[in-house]
Amino acid sequence: MATSLLAFITAFAVVFLVELPDKTMVATLVLTTRYRAWPVFVGVVAAFAVQSVVAAAFGSVITLLPDRLVAGVVALLFGIGAFMLLKEGFSRDSESADEAGTQTVVPFWRAALTSFGVLFAAEWGDASQLATAGITARYGAPLAVGLGAWLALVTVAGLAVLVGRKLAGRLPTHWIQRVAGVIFAVFGVIALTQVF
């Protein structure tokens, strides 16, 4: 029980931190400026649920491997995540939600399905997906990790939908990406020490 709780808390904290400056948050912000908030939120939450299940399942498969190999895979996943976050955090290109257009009135399900498709595609290979798989492999608690990751994603999506473009303008996203990248690197080094 303690391991599951720790896995849940770790997954929530890491994924929440990683998602704040992420492209998926920006995509949610942009979608919210184009469509009504409720269908966007429903589509995004559904996409995150599917992606969390995929990531936790991948992490569970990893746990079937020998311990040293698992530690190596976990180190690799966190290393890739650290690289991606640090690269974005130190890049000069900054994505902005300012390019959002005016809000379009479309049927609920069309806006929800559009939001689902955009976020489902954006999450593949994303740092939060890699983190979810890595944390699942580390703790061997796919349900707790998947739920923690999904709730973190939903929380960030809720913030994006509620606050809209103002949130993106006030957060120093490059610093959040850098901090998250360093945290990923530390997790990767810890896992790497278990390989040898």
Side-chain angles (χ1 to χ4, degrees), residues 162-189:
L162 290 175
V163 179
R165 290 186 289 180
K166 293 179 183 180
L167 181 64
R170 293 184 180 172
L171 285 176
T173 56
H174 64 281
W175 281 107
I176 294 171
Q177 288 171 325
R178 291 173 187 177
V179 169
V182 169
I183 290 171
F184 265 49
V186 168
F187 283 151
V189 168

Side-chain angles (χ1 to χ4, degrees), residues 139-151:
Y139 289 102
L143 183 60
V145 172
L147 186 59
W150 180 72
L151 286 175

